[in-house]
């Protein structure tokens, strides 16, 4: 294909606005797959994606379409739509010159529509605005066009209308893509030495790592020796081809094309997204890469039973082969045994990973409550041997340094975008304020919808913000966020003690202003959820040495002395002693998330 007849584009949309359905229709119309053979979301390859109906890993397909007597090569680059995967969206976009901005004609513009629009806009991509689901009775295309005009200054006359479900308007849309999205000619140079941009990778049992690349300059041939500009390592290209959407091996990948190659790379960590490859010995200016995906949510993962440790280890390793954005380090806990601390891009990412562990590997796991990374500056940190630098990143609340050594603390923050019907505005503002949010902007996008931007600490939204927002707004409000980096903040470690013993698995990091209320909340909750034992348990929340909240869980006491009315005092003593011994055993208990831990009776209370 000559460069002028190549189009590289993505569909960007809020979750459930119909991106995958539209992709299926495109594949059918262009003959890449047969219509009617139950092609539900062909590009959503993974089982989890199908079950949850969300696209997790970006997938790509190259198709041809005849327009005005000429064949065009359309490279459709599928992108995930959810908040956690903004990073995957942005890396897929870097291989495109345009996007189809797909909006549900019934639901209208939503938080991720806004986030995705700005990603495309700042990448200077051509934007083809399209309304989907116009077959729905409640579709209100005019109102949604007004929203798009108010928010993005998109001319209502430029907005196309399709029904991905019925296939209506899809051909027109493809023609709009051909007309509206520039060919990669401006960006690519056929004559220049080879430059490849790597934008996705996955692991294949037989081929090793498969890299998805966009050929920016030159041409890639089978057998070529290529070098990574990040690592300097060289590889021989064993196989290459296009995805249509299944792999079709070819001899060459030409300038402007999007395709895959494999080169006996064994570890996905070597396939750095954003990396530039060139021919060995012909080093050239790397293409501007993109930021690395940094994990923002951490959780401990433990086998249900320590005998499954090896099995779980293998399962995690296999999954990480396909998902290099997950970070892994070894961790151990007195209650849960040997495990790992995994870092994820967000909560959904964590959930999906967990679900994949269980589904694809038949492994049941225990996950601890998620937390975010914190930065701690230590006093004379250089002299404290276990910390090399002055500033340390703490991914696990249990590793929080002694407060006496801490100079200052910072936490990750985000800019949240919320779109909601006016009716729920008051409740949502209350929610954001309660989460230490600071409102940055608020405006109408039409008569009954509001868009707001909130500055929020990540740790306030990481656990249940999204669920609460949904329930406050009967499901109508949508949310998306963008990282802003670390900000100074007054943070402390809130410990939970059972009978005087700190239970490290229950420690959390909280803002000073919230330590007391959070301590009370956890103590009350534990009081209600911990099962009664044969001995009394004191539940306490503390910061440093200061107890902030306390409750007692009364013993479920079988009164062994009841039957020895008065009488024989020695017999009574003996019985009591025996009961005390019987109680000395550690008790296995379960925390708020159902994770087991162990406590011992308190000699004073019992
Ligand atoms: P993610 O992959 O999670 O981002 O979702 P998606 O945007 O790919 O949405 P998907 O294609 O899975 O569609 C979501 C739901 O909308 C599905 O139940 C589709 O059947 C339905 N849907 C998609 N397009 C149309 C349409 O044109 N009309 C109607 N009525 N329903 C549609």
């Amino acid at each position: 294909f000559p460069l002028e007849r190549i189009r590289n584009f993505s569909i960007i949309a809020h979750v459930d606005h119909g991106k995958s359905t539209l992709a299926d229709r495109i594949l059918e119309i262009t003959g890449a797959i047969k219509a009617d053979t139950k092609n539900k979301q062909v590009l959503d390859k993974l089982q989890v994606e199908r079950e949850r109906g969300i696209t997790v890993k970006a997938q790509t397909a190259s198709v041809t379409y005849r327009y005005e007597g000429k064949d065009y090569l359309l490279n459709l680059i599928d992108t995930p739509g959810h908040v956690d995967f903004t990073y995957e969206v942005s890396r897929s976009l870097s291989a495109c010159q345009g996007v189809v901005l797909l909006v549900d004609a019934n639901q209208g513009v939503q938080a991720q529509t806004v986030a995705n629009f700005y990603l495309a806009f700042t990448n200077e991509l051509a934007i083809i605005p399209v309304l989907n689901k116009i077959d729905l009775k409640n579709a209100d295309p005019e109102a949604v066009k007004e929203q798009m005009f108010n928010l993005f200054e998109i001319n209502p006359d430029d907005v196309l209308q399709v029904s991905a479900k019925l296939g209506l308007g899809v051909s027109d849309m493809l023609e709009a893509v051909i007309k509206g999205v520039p060919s990669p000619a401006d960006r690519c140079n056929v004559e220049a030495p080879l430059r490849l941009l790597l934008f996705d990778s996955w692991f294949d049992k037989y081929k090793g790592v498969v890299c998805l690349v966009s050929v920016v300059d030159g041409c890639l041939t089978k057998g070529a020796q290529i070098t990574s500009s990040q690592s300097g390592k060289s590889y021989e290209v064993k196989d290459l081809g296009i995805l249509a959407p299944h792999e079709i091996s070819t001899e060459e990948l030409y300038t402007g094309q999007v395709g895959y190659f494999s080169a006996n790379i064994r570890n996905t960590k070597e396939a750095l997204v954003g990396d530039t490859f060139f021919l060995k010995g012909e080093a050239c200016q790397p293409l501007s890469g993109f930021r690395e995906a940094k994990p923002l949510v951490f959780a401990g993962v433990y086998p249900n039973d320590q005998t499954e440790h090896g099995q779980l280890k293998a399962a995690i390793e296999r999954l990480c082969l396909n998902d290099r954005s997950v970070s892994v380090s070894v961790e151990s806990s007195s209650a849960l045994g040997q495990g790992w601390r995994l870092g994820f891009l967000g909560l959904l990412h964590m959930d999906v990973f967990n679900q994949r562990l269980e589904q694809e590997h038949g492994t049941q796991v225990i996950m601890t409550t998620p937390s975010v990374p914190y930065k701690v500056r230590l006093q004379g940190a250089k002299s404290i041997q276990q910390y090399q630098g002055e500033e340390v990143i703490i991914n696990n609340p249990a590793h929080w340094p002694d407060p006496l050594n801490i100079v200052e603390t910072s936490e990750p923050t985000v800019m949240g975008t919320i779109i909601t019907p006016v009716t729920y505005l008051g409740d949502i503002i209350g929610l954001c304020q309660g989460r230490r949010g600071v409102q940055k902007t608020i405006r109408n996008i039409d008569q009954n919808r509001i868009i707001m931007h909130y500055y929020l600490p990540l740790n306030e939204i990481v656990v249940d913000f999204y669920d609460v927002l949904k329930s406050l707004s009967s499901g109508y409000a949508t949310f998306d966020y963008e990282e802003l980096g670390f900000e100074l903040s007054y943070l402390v470690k809130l410990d939970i003690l059972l009978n005087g013993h700190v239970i490290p698995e229950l420690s959390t990091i909280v803002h000073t202003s919230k330590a007391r209320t959070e301590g009370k909340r956890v103590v009350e909750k534990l009081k209600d959820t911990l099962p009664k034992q044969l001995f009394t348990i004191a539940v306490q929340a503390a910061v440093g040495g200061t107890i902030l909240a306390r409750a007692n869980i009364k013993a479920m006491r079988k009164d062994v002395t009841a039957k020895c009315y008065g009488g024989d005092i020695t017999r009574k003593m003996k019985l009591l002693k025996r009961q005390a011994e019987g109680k000395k055993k550690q008790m296995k208990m379960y925390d708020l998330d159902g994770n087991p831990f162990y406590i011992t009776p308190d000699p004073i209370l019992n």
Side-chain angles (χ1 to χ4, degrees):
F1 276 90
L3 267 183
E4 311 77 63
R5 280 195 266 132
I6 296 179
R7 299 291 180 273
N8 298 320
F9 74 107
S10 275
I11 305 170
I12 53 176
H14 189 80
V15 66
D16 277 348
H17 281 195
K19 183 168 42 76
S20 306
T21 311
L22 180 61
D24 285 349
R25 284 304 91 72
I26 294 174
L27 295 184
E28 287 172 7
I29 286 176
T30 55
I33 53 172
K34 281 204 203 83
D36 226 43
T37 43
K38 289 249 172 328
N39 292 317
K40 276 207 68 150
Q41 297 154 11
V42 177
L43 295 180
D44 289 355
K45 283 187 192 158
L46 299 158
Q47 190 189 350
V48 188
E49 293 186 4
R50 288 188 175 226
E51 270 182 20
R52 296 200 168 202
I54 51 164
T55 313
V56 178
K57 206 149 172 57
Q59 309 280 357
T60 292
S62 301
V63 297
T64 54
Y65 186 78
R66 207 167 175 79
Y67 174 64
E68 292 186 339
K70 287 190 182 128
D71 278 336
Y72 284 80
L73 176 66
L74 307 181
N75 294 313
L76 166 61
I77 292 161
D78 193 21
T79 56
H82 195 273
V83 53
D84 286 354
F85 303 104
T86 306
Y87 167 70
E88 296 220 354
V89 179
S90 72
R91 74 191 195 188
S92 310
L93 288 186
S94 63
C96 297
Q97 284 75 46
V99 296
V100 166
L101 177 69
L102 191 69
V103 184
D104 185 320
N106 172 27
Q107 299 199 336
V109 172
Q110 298 296 343
Q112 283 144 245
T113 319
V114 179
N116 286 329
F117 169 84
Y118 283 108
L119 272 180
F121 188 75
T122 47
N123 279 299
E124 297 179 0
L125 302 181
I127 293 170
I128 313 288
V130 178
L131 296 186
N132 187 27
K133 309 198 188 180
I134 51 158
D135 59 290
L136 285 178
K137 264 212 311 285
N138 300 335
D140 190 352
E142 295 316 310
V144 181
K145 284 181 192 173
E146 185 193 332
Q147 295 168 6
M148 292 171 92
F149 177 74
N150 286 340
L151 276 171
F152 313 133
E153 293 177 10
I154 289 174
N155 183 343
D157 296 336
D158 294 342
V159 182
L160 304 175
Q161 303 194 2
V162 306
S163 163
K165 191 172 170 184
L166 306 178
L168 293 173
V170 179
S171 300
D172 290 346
M173 188 203 77
L174 287 179
E175 289 171 14
V177 167
I178 290 172
K179 281 185 277 186
V181 175
S183 82
D186 281 351
R187 192 171 168 241
C188 298
N189 187 342
V190 184
E191 308 296 330
L194 178 75
R195 279 201 298 178
L196 299 176
L197 173 69
L198 191 153
F199 66 92
D200 198 5
S201 70
W202 60 89
F203 191 79
D204 181 285
K205 253 196 292 204
Y206 306 107
K207 297 180 179 170
V209 176
V210 180
C211 297
L212 202 51
V213 291
S214 133
V215 184
V216 177
D217 294 328
C219 166
L220 180 66
T221 48
K222 214 178 248 185
Q225 295 280 337
I226 55 171
T227 306
S228 145
S229 56
Q230 291 285 334
S231 70
K233 282 194 185 165
S234 298
Y235 307 90
E236 182 185 322
V237 176
K238 296 283 181 202
D239 183 29
L240 55 78
I242 57 166
L243 297 171
H246 307 290
E247 289 169 19
I248 297 181
S249 192
T250 58
E251 287 302 314
E252 285 178 295
L253 276 179
Y254 299 103
T255 325
Q257 276 193 334
V258 170
Y260 72 89
F261 76 80
S262 61
N264 267 340
I265 305 177
R266 303 314 303 178
N267 187 341
T268 29
K269 305 253 183 238
E270 288 179 40
L272 287 169
V273 167
D275 197 358
T276 305
F277 282 90
F278 49 81
L279 283 179
K280 192 175 173 182
E282 294 188 32
C284 48
Q285 183 68 24
L287 298 153
S288 58
F290 6 24
R291 69 198 162 92
E292 268 282 338
K294 281 207 207 68
L296 276 179
V297 176
F298 290 82
V301 173
Y302 294 85
N304 231 351
D305 185 323
Q306 279 298 320
T307 58
E308 294 164 4
H309 185 269
Q311 201 187 331
L312 181 59
K313 179 165 186 255
I316 290 175
E317 278 169 1
R318 245 173 303 163
L319 274 179
C320 288
L321 274 179
N322 250 325
D323 193 345
R324 51 180 301 287
S325 48
V326 178
S327 73
V328 185
S329 56
V330 176
E331 179 177 276
S332 66
S333 139
S334 54
L336 303 171
Q338 292 291 322
W340 298 267
R341 190 134 198 108
L342 303 187
F344 304 95
L345 301 177
L347 278 180
L348 181 79
H349 186 204
M350 178 174 91
D351 256 23
V352 165
F353 189 91
N354 191 3
Q355 203 182 340
R356 267 189 212 164
L357 262 187
E358 294 187 354
Q359 259 172 15
E360 293 172 26
H361 305 280
T363 328
Q364 280 274 324
V365 302
I366 297 168
M367 277 220 185
T368 64
T369 315
S371 70
V372 305
Y374 297 96
K375 257 189 203 165
V376 177
R377 184 180 295 281
L378 294 160
Q379 207 141 33
K382 285 195 176 115
S383 64
I384 302 175
Q385 272 187 345
Q386 79 244 52
Y387 302 120
Q388 294 294 311
E390 287 214 304
E391 226 168 23
V392 288
I393 299 267
I394 307 289
N395 292 329
N396 181 349
H399 299 158
W400 195 253
D402 182 340
L404 290 175
N405 291 327
I406 295 178
V407 180
E408 61 186 27
T409 53
S410 358
E411 62 182 330
T413 57
V414 301
M415 185 58 78
T417 303
I418 298 172
I419 292 187
T420 174
V422 181
T423 334
Y424 310 108
L425 189 60
D427 285 344
I428 292 176
I429 289 180
L431 167 69
C432 293
Q433 280 170 351
R435 302 297 177 104
R436 297 191 279 135
V438 178
Q439 196 181 73
K440 290 293 173 187
T441 67
I442 176 164
R443 63 179 275 215
N444 272 81
I445 58 173
D446 64 16
Q447 264 141 35
N448 42 38
R449 255 172 226 264
I450 302 280
I451 184 169
M452 294 187 284
H453 286 102
Y454 262 95
Y455 170 90
L456 286 154
L458 183 65
N459 88 346
E460 297 282 350
I461 59 171
V462 99
V463 179
D464 62 351
F465 181 84
Y466 193 68
D467 294 339
V468 177
L469 180 79
K470 283 282 170 198
S471 75
L472 282 180
S473 66
S474 310
Y476 285 113
T478 54
F479 176 69
D480 198 76
Y481 63 79
E482 187 189 348
E483 298 168 54
L484 287 184
F486 284 83
E487 280 293 328
L488 282 185
S489 179
Y490 294 103
L491 302 166
V492 288
K493 179 165 78 147
L494 182 69
D495 284 322
I496 301 300
L497 294 80
L498 294 178
N499 283 355
H501 303 284
V502 173
I503 310 294
E505 291 77 16
L506 297 182
S507 296
T508 49
I509 305 303
V510 295
H511 190 258
T512 334
S513 66
K514 293 195 133 186
R516 193 169 296 272
T517 42
E518 184 58 15
K520 282 207 177 104
R521 191 188 68 83
V522 176
V523 164
E524 285 309 309
K525 192 143 183 200
L526 283 172
K527 190 180 149 202
D528 293 341
T529 48
L530 290 179
K532 283 196 171 179
Q533 299 295 331
L534 285 171
F535 48 86
T536 304
I537 306 167
V539 188
Q540 293 168 311
V543 167
T546 316
I547 305 294
L548 301 176
R550 167 186 182 122
N552 277 350
I553 304 175
K554 291 239 163 56
M556 150 184 91
R557 190 185 188 100
K558 264 204 243 111
D559 201 347
V560 285
T561 60
K563 46 180 175 303
C564 22
Y565 23 85
D568 185 353
I569 183 77
T570 50
R571 188 173 131 79
K572 200 169 167 177
M573 292 289 285
K574 237 186 245 163
L575 264 173
L576 273 175
K577 186 155 175 272
R578 209 178 305 150
Q579 193 190 31
E581 276 167 1
K583 288 189 305 194
K584 268 209 188 100
K585 266 181 55 211
Q586 280 200 335
M587 298 300 293
K588 186 175 186 177
M589 307 200 64
Y590 295 86
D591 70 15
L592 305 180
D593 297 320
N595 301 323
F597 60 89
Y598 298 86
I599 53 169
T600 43
D602 184 315
I604 302 169
L605 281 168
N606 295 282

